[in-house]
Amino acid sequence: MAERVEIFEVGPRDGLQNEKRLIPAAGKIALVDALSRAGFRRIEVTSFVSPKWVPQMADATEVMAGIARRPTVRYAALAPNLKGFDAAVAAGVDEVAIFAAASEAFSQANINASIAESLARFAPVVAAAQAIAMPVRGYVSCVVACPYEGDIAPEAVVRVAEALNVMGCYEISLGDTIGAGRPESVARMLAAVAQAVPVARLAGHFHDTGGWALANIDAALDQGVRVFDAAVGGLGGCPYAPGAPGNVATEAVARHLAQRGFETGLDMAALDRAVALAKGLRDGNA
Ligand code: HMG
Ligand code: MG
C-alpha cells in the first residue's frame, strides 16, 4: 500500500489573509466547504488575531459559524494570545495554532513581540487548550531566511521549534515564509531540528519563489517529513513578509506526491473545484 503523506490545507487562512480586496465571508465559507468535500483531514479556516493587524480575518467568527462541518475534518485557526484563543473556542474551532518566528525582526513585525515575549504569551494559550483537551499546532516562520534579517541559522530554528515542542504543540510547522529555501538549506535546517524534535512531529510549509517548493518538499520527504502545508490555488503570502510569494499550491503538491507514489487521500476532482473557487475569490470574480 502506498505510504501516506498529509496535506494540511491552509489556503483560507494563510492564502486569503494576504489578499488586499476584502473577500466576503460567504466566499470564504464556500471555499472551506469545497475543501471539506475534497477529503482534507485538517483545514486552517481563519485567524483570531487583531482586526487592525489583519483586516481580512476580522470575520473569523462569522466564517466559522457558516461552514458546513464534516466530522472527518479538523477545523483550525490561529490564536496568538488568550483573547484570540477564547474567541476561537467560542467559535467552535477544533484546534488552534500559535505562531512564532526564528527571526527577531519578523517576530516584532508580525506579532509585536520578541521571540521570548511571544513564547511567554503562547504558554497560557497552550495551557488553556490543554485544559479542554484541544490540540495546539505551532508554527515557526522564517526557518531559512527572513525578509528583514537575511539568512537564518538552523540553530535559531531549533531553539524555537524545541520550545514549542516542550510547551506541548502536537506538531510544529516549519515555514519558509519568503521561499528562500533550496533543497540543501532545507535539508540542513531539518536535520538540525530533527535532533531536537521527532521528525514525526514536524510539518513543512513552503512558499514557491522561483519554483523551488516542490524540490524543497522532496528534500523534506527525504528527511522523513510526512505532513506539508499548502494553499489551494497557491493563494497567499504574508502581510508582514514583504515580497513573500504565494504558498505552494495544494493541487501541485497533491499531483507531485501522487507521481512520487504517495497517497494523499484527496479527491482530485473535488480539489480542482476548490481551486477554481479560490482563483475566483482572488481575482474578484466569484
Ligand atoms: P498588539 O497591538 O501588540 O496587541 O498586537 P495588544 O495586546 O496591545 O492589543 C492591541 C489591540 O488589539 C487591542 O484592541 C486588543 O483588544 C486587540 P484595542 O483596545 O486597541 O481596541 N487584540 C485582539 N483583537 C482580536 N483578536 C485578538 C487580539 N489580541 C489583541 N487575538 C497581536 C499583538 C498579536 C494581537 C497582533 O500583532 C496580531 O494580531 N498579529 C497577527 C499577525 C498575523 O496574523 N500575521 C499573519 C500570520 S503568521 C504567518 O502568516 C506565517 C505563517 O503562515 C508561516 C509562514 O507562512 O511561514 C504562520
Ligand atoms: Mg505561508
Side-chain angles (χ1 to χ4, degrees):
M1 219 176 93
E3 193 185 347
R4 181 99 182 192
V5 172
E6 184 184 357
I7 300 180
F8 187 120
E9 174 57 51
V10 297
R13 191 283 300 176
D14 198 8
L16 296 184
Q17 73 178 9
N18 208 36
E19 293 302 320
K20 298 278 171 293
R21 193 179 71 89
L22 272 188
I23 294 166
K28 297 171 181 171
I29 291 164
L31 179 61
V32 173
D33 287 351
L35 292 165
S36 291
R37 289 191 285 271
F40 294 97
R41 289 193 294 185
R42 294 180 286 171
I43 299 173
E44 200 166 70
V45 176
T46 186
S47 298
F48 290 85
V49 298
S50 163
K52 288 187 194 135
W53 285 66
V54 187
Q56 187 68 261
M57 297 285 110
D59 56 5
T61 295
E62 189 184 349
V63 173
M64 277 305 303
I67 59 175
R69 302 173 75 116
R70 293 210 167 191
T72 48
V73 184
R74 254 167 45 197
Y75 297 94
L78 298 193
N81 50 24
L82 277 175
K83 186 179 170 87
F85 174 76
D86 289 342
V89 172
V93 308
D94 298 312
E95 69 172 64
V96 290
I98 52 179
F99 46 108
S103 139
E104 286 292 353
F106 185 83
S107 184
Q108 285 293 350
N110 194 39
I111 51 175
N112 202 24
S114 68
I115 296 170
E117 285 164 350
S118 75
L119 293 172
R121 197 186 277 167
F122 296 146
V125 174
V126 176
Q130 283 174 339
I132 56 168
M134 178 182 281
V136 181
R137 196 170 194 244
Y139 278 102
V140 186
S141 295
C142 302
V143 296
V144 176
C146 162
Y148 312 108
E149 289 182 15
D151 288 351
I152 296 294
E155 295 67 38
V157 186
V158 173
R159 280 193 293 275
V160 181
E162 190 170 26
L164 293 174
N165 185 46
V166 168
M167 210 181 272
C169 293
Y170 76 92
E171 185 172 278
I172 321 274
S173 172
L174 300 169
D176 179 15
T177 311
I178 56 169
R182 298 292 178 267
E184 304 73 35
S185 51
V186 166
R188 217 170 24 247
M189 180 275 298
L190 280 171
V193 175
Q195 301 286 316
V197 181
V199 74
R201 295 168 82 102
L202 298 177
H205 180 117
F206 294 104
H207 286 235
D208 204 21
T209 318
W212 285 96
L214 294 180
N216 291 337
I217 286 175
D218 283 341
L221 284 166
D222 289 345
Q223 298 281 323
V225 175
R226 291 293 179 270
V227 179
F228 294 97
D229 300 350
V232 62
L235 291 173
C238 175
Y240 295 101
N247 294 277
V248 64
T250 306
E251 59 279 16
V253 180
R255 293 201 160 89
H256 181 71
L257 289 170
Q259 267 168 14
R260 290 212 38 191
F262 292 103
E263 170 66 52
T264 61
L266 295 175
D267 172 340
M268 290 307 292
L271 177 58
D272 286 340
R273 286 192 285 277
V275 171
L277 196 55
K279 290 185 173 167
L281 291 177
R282 186 192 56 201
D283 301 339
N285 52 22

